[in-house]
Amino acid sequence: MRTGRRARVLKITGLSLAGVLLLGAGAAGWAYWHLSDNISSVDINGALGDDRPARPLSAPSAGASATAVPLPTESLNILVLGSDSRTGEENRELGGGEDGGARSDTAMVVHLDAGRTAATVVSIPRDTLVDRPSCPLPDGESTRPVSGAMFNSAYEVGGPVCAVKTVEALTDVRMDHYIEIDFAGFARLVDALGGVTVTTREDIDDERSHLTLEAGTHHLDGTEALALARTRYDIGDGSDLGRIELQHQLVKALLEQIGRQNLLTDPAGLYEVADAVTGSLTADTGLDSLGELTRLGQSLRGLSSAGVTTLTMPVLPAPWDRNRVVADEPEAGELWASLR
């Protein structure tokens, strides 16, 4: 091959390779933007200001917490809500209902220890009666404080901001972050992970959640796992406490399934899981991008299901309403103090 022709071939090859690299970088950039753009965000810090529990001395400053996930040398508290949103046909088909609005169907305070090798998940029963504080609304108005309100009404009247403020008033624990996922997002997440394996101790035949399972071990798809998370009327005493036990099983099952898959070395699998999660995710402004969520996920690589303790806030039947519960003191207060 003559020198001039060889030079032209090398030039064309180089330009072609550069084009492929640019296309690849463009595709990766688009995927990153697409996933980040999927996430809805809410400025919890801006809405609540300084009227909140104090941060532990080891926690980062207010500015750092609002923009980044703390390094895995500090503990972290995250309020995780499962919303029964009616938005979208998929949510309605999965049980969100036909009317407007949404409630916090599931509420968990997730405490991550400083080394990210252990976590405590504390569920707050939705039927708990609490003193709901006045919460700021987007239009500048505020909700009125209510004594003896259902816990899940906070989200209904004031969205994520009121949910966080009510949890902080109940626990005196500062929530560093907020994450919310709806019915459709949870089901898609389970499917993207290939399902979850759980073991039930009793037969389940719940007409409301549309789940029928014999006692034993089952591998559930997303729709079945969501139904299990919503089952309450056909187990135990039919209260929210039995459902919370099933939700704790699902938390462990999800962690075990994630542990079996090395998603960091499987870009296609990681993208599918991320797309499933971000499309139905609402987070505070410190977790509202793929980069921030990825950093949080990477900090949890040393956390296994064995390192996760699941608890329910101690409660007892409300003396004036046997269908509702109230915090059982001093046990509940001692639990929250241990997280602080």
Side-chain angles (χ1 to χ4, degrees):
M1 183 182 296
R2 286 189 257 177
T3 302
R5 184 181 175 190
R6 180 166 43 213
R8 285 196 301 273
V9 170
L10 290 174
K11 183 177 181 181
I12 292 171
T13 302
L15 288 174
S16 299
L17 179 59
V20 170
L21 291 175
L22 285 172
L23 286 173
W30 178 88
Y32 183 94
W33 172 85
H34 169 68
L35 293 178
S36 291
D37 192 57
N38 279 347
I39 304 170
S40 300
S41 70
V42 56
D43 186 1
I44 302 290
N45 287 352
L48 295 184
D50 296 326
D51 184 21
R52 308 178 66 184
R55 283 187 173 86
L57 293 178
S58 62
S61 65
S65 178
T67 58
V69 177
L71 296 173
T73 55
E74 299 156 336
S75 62
L76 198 64
N77 296 308
I78 305 173
L79 177 60
V80 178
L81 289 190
S83 165
D84 64 349
S85 171
R86 278 82 165 161
T87 303
E89 182 178 351
E90 189 175 2
N91 275 318
R92 289 193 294 271
E93 289 178 349
L94 288 169
E98 295 295 336
D99 54 330
R103 294 160 297 183
S104 54
D105 202 55
T106 300
M108 297 180 179
V109 173
V110 179
H111 175 82
L112 304 174
D113 78 343
R116 301 294 192 270
T117 58
T120 302
V121 178
V122 184
S123 292
I124 302 174
R126 58 178 290 178
D127 296 336
T128 305
L129 298 179
V130 300
D131 291 334
R132 193 180 71 215
S134 174
C135 301
L137 296 172
D139 62 4
E141 299 294 323
S142 298
T143 65
R144 64 184 181 88
V146 176
S147 180
M150 283 269 288
F151 169 75
N152 69 341
S153 69
Y155 182 92
E156 192 171 8
V157 302
V161 170
C162 198
V164 170
K165 186 164 186 179
T166 300
V167 168
E168 291 184 343
L170 174 67
T171 66
D172 197 29
V173 176
R174 175 75 171 239
M175 295 297 110
D176 298 293
H177 290 294
Y178 171 86
I179 295 175
E180 173 193 329
I181 191 166
D182 62 21
F183 282 179
F186 179 80
R188 287 200 299 266
L189 170 62
V190 172
D191 284 336
L193 290 171
V196 292
T197 301
V198 298
T199 300
T200 58
R201 294 191 298 269
E202 57 184 291
D203 295 343
I204 296 175
D205 187 13
D206 193 314
E207 292 182 358
R208 301 200 188 192
S209 68
H210 307 293
L211 182 67
T212 300
L213 289 177
E214 293 183 355
T217 299
H218 305 272
H219 191 75
L220 308 180
D221 64 18
T223 300
E224 293 166 333
L226 176 64
L228 185 67
R230 300 183 62 230
T231 293
R232 66 179 289 184
Y233 294 101
D234 193 57
I235 56 171
D237 60 2
S239 73
D240 198 36
L241 302 181
R243 173 168 60 180
I244 286 173
E245 289 186 17
L246 295 177
Q247 292 171 352
H248 288 169
Q249 287 187 46
L250 281 170
V251 168
K252 294 289 190 79
L254 281 169
L255 285 171
E256 289 169 1
Q257 185 69 9
I258 290 170
R260 283 192 285 266
Q261 300 183 34
N262 193 354
L263 295 178
L264 294 179
T265 61
D266 180 11
L270 179 60
Y271 180 87
E272 183 180 359
V273 172
D275 196 32
V277 174
T278 59
S280 300
L281 197 69
T282 299
D284 69 278
T285 49
L287 282 180
D288 62 351
S289 78
L290 185 61
E292 288 154 347
L293 287 171
T294 299
R295 281 192 292 274
L296 175 61
Q298 289 176 335
S299 77
L300 300 176
R301 283 177 295 184
L303 179 65
S304 67
S305 61
V308 177
T309 301
T310 54
L311 303 167
T312 301
M313 181 184 76
V315 294
L316 48 79
W320 57 92
D321 187 345
R322 306 301 289 182
N323 294 317
R324 302 289 180 258
V325 296
V326 294
D328 186 6
E329 300 295 356
E331 287 80 2
E334 292 169 352
L335 171 59
W336 300 126
S338 72
L339 296 193
R340 288 194 297 274

